[in-house]
Amino acid sequence: TVRGQRNSIFAGYIQDDYRIRSNLTINLGVRYEMATVITEVNGKLANLRHLTDPVSTVGDPYWHNPTTKNFAPRVGFAWDPFKTGKTSVRGGFGMFDILPLPYLLGGRIVRAPPFFLQANLSNPPASSFPNRIAPLLNLSTLGATMMEFENPKRSYHMQWNLNIQRQLTRNLALTVGYVGSGGVHLIDVDEDFDVVPPTLVTFDAASASYRFPTTGTIQRINPNFGKIRSSFWDAHSSYHSLQTNLVQRPVRGLTYQLAYTWAKSIDDGSITFTASESSNTIGKAYPFCLRCNRGLSDFNIPHNFVANFQYDIPVLAAVKANRAANTVLGGWQVGGIYTRQSGANFGLRLSSDRARTGTTAAASSTSGNE
């Protein structure tokens, strides 16, 4: 059914540049940005506030607001160490808040019982298909949605960089820099958090693996539901890169640019919700082991090289002197772009719960998590 999700954003910032010396400028600033908790205009808002709750809680608030103290500083500088105008050293650091807007939670809000009913059946009897399924759809097979309610963390992104630019010749400049970033308390989605309790799981140091009960009925944390979709603010990411750029300004009609980036991106999961071109991390092997899912980002590209050029095709003086001829033959350019980069990552997943974790997400072709 139709839902109307609403929230408001309030923001403001102060920023100023201080020229401390003739060759040194400092940039200082701070931004405040907060968002109200999402509401639903039709009253169809429900959340399983705790993992062991027998039923979803209907109504506001959807969670406790973590954004009321979102003050984010920014600082930067530009320095000409030799006061010649040919060398520039620049750097900066900034924090950028990631507000809990509807796009992060849209798939969760609309799929919460009692306003949305979807069931997951484990090993139903063969005689139940196709006409005897309905009696098996009860509270213990319905899915629930859980958003971190009590103490969601402030989600933000940090960025920092340091680069040196040097004019090599009158028309040639080289820039070499380091660029990094880190995501803190990013939203972490799991298609089924109702799995085997950690108290029944052991860690085998010899094989560096978790072991689950191998016999009997799989015990899940909350038997009141067949599946619990969850969203927590506990994921992290990091990015580090060496970036180089060589630029040739126009010389006799020719300009070109060479750029190379050597980078590495690591995270606990590379997407916000549902399947996409980076769907390798939508399902987690075991939701209580976040580090088990930590690795190279699905979009990690270690090497990226790009070259481009543009050339003004010369025109004879006799052609320029003739207005009609110059209109047709003058002003033409030829250009091109060449890109070479590492291939994207991919993952191999099983479409079954071989480890007996109890998750229903393992059987999905787009989110198999083992």
Side-chain angles (χ1 to χ4, degrees):
T1 56
V2 175
R3 309 295 173 89
Q5 302 166 29
R6 303 286 188 272
N7 75 330
S8 300
I9 302 172
F10 301 91
Y13 68 92
I14 300 173
Q15 183 169 318
D16 203 358
D17 298 336
Y18 297 89
R19 192 169 186 179
I20 299 178
R21 298 179 180 177
S22 61
N23 64 333
L24 177 61
T25 300
I26 300 294
N27 321 109
L28 297 174
V30 62
R31 180 180 179 88
Y32 176 77
E33 188 172 27
M34 65 87 64
T36 60
V37 177
I38 293 176
T39 59
E40 204 283 316
V41 297
N42 302 301
K44 297 179 179 179
L45 197 67
N47 183 25
L48 190 69
R49 294 181 174 179
H50 307 93
L51 190 57
T52 56
D53 286 353
V55 295
S56 299
T57 300
V58 176
D60 299 324
Y62 200 29
W63 65 78
H64 291 168
N65 196 342
T67 70
T68 57
K69 299 180 181 179
N70 282 6
F71 290 95
R74 288 94 189 270
V75 60
F77 74 92
W79 179 40
D80 179 3
F82 307 114
K83 298 184 179 181
T84 60
K86 295 184 177 182
T87 303
S88 180
V89 181
R90 303 183 183 93
F93 170 85
M95 287 179 59
F96 305 86
D97 285 290
I98 305 173
L99 300 180
L101 304 180
Y103 83 95
L104 286 173
L105 315 170
R108 295 292 190 255
I109 293 176
V110 299
R111 296 188 177 187
F115 308 111
F116 177 91
L117 305 180
Q118 181 182 15
N120 293 272
L121 300 176
S122 299
N123 301 318
S127 60
S128 62
F129 183 82
N131 299 320
R132 298 180 181 177
I133 290 291
L136 301 178
L137 303 182
N138 50 47
L139 291 178
S140 63
T141 61
L142 290 175
T145 297
M146 177 184 179
M147 303 295 305
E148 186 174 1
F149 176 79
E150 293 290 356
N151 190 30
K153 303 298 190 300
R154 174 188 178 185
S155 180
Y156 60 94
H157 194 243
M158 298 180 294
Q159 298 180 8
W160 54 88
N161 69 84
L162 177 66
N163 65 79
I164 301 175
Q165 186 178 53
R166 175 68 180 176
Q167 182 179 341
L168 303 179
T169 66
R170 182 179 179 182
N171 299 297
L172 191 64
L174 174 65
T175 303
V176 178
Y178 160 73
V179 177
S181 67
V184 181
H185 300 144
L186 304 177
I187 193 165
D188 169 33
V189 297
D190 197 283
E191 286 300 279
D192 193 359
F193 213 91
D194 195 10
V195 293
V196 174
T199 54
L200 301 180
V201 181
T202 59
F203 183 77
D204 181 64
S207 60
S209 61
Y210 284 89
R211 301 299 176 91
F212 299 82
T214 58
T215 59
T217 302
I218 297 178
Q219 181 176 337
R220 294 156 66 92
I221 296 173
N222 191 338
N224 298 291
F225 298 98
K227 178 179 183 178
I228 299 178
R229 297 183 181 92
S230 66
S231 294
F232 291 86
W233 279 271
D234 60 359
H236 296 78
S237 68
S238 66
Y239 172 82
H240 304 280
S241 68
L242 169 68
Q243 300 183 9
T244 60
N245 188 20
L246 182 67
V247 178
Q248 168 71 56
R249 294 170 182 163
V251 177
R252 297 181 180 179
L254 174 65
T255 179
Y256 63 86
Q257 180 176 2
L258 305 176
Y260 170 71
T261 299
W262 178 33
K264 188 173 186 178
S265 180
I266 298 175
D267 58 35
D268 303 318
S270 300
I271 62 176
T272 301
F273 178 73
T274 198
S276 71
E277 68 276 7
S278 298
S279 62
N280 289 326
T281 50
I282 185 62
K284 290 180 173 53
Y286 188 56
F288 289 97
C289 179
L290 195 60
R291 64 186 177 88
C292 294
N293 218 51
R294 186 168 181 80
L296 292 176
S297 303
D298 290 344
F299 47 80
N300 180 64
I301 304 294
H303 302 280
N304 186 39
F305 173 78
V306 180
N308 65 75
F309 78 95
Q310 184 170 289
Y311 179 62
D312 298 328
I313 299 177
V315 179
L316 298 175
V319 174
K320 289 184 178 181
N322 187 298
R323 179 177 296 181
N326 189 55
T327 300
V328 177
L329 300 177
W332 288 89
Q333 297 175 325
V334 60
I337 301 174
Y338 173 80
T339 301
R340 186 177 182 87
Q341 64 182 23
S342 305
N345 298 316
F346 69 94
L348 303 177
R349 296 173 297 182
L350 299 174
S351 59
S352 62
D353 184 16
R354 290 281 294 179
R356 289 175 56 90
T357 65
T359 178
T360 60
S364 170
S365 60
T366 59
S367 59
N369 58 349
E370 295 174 13

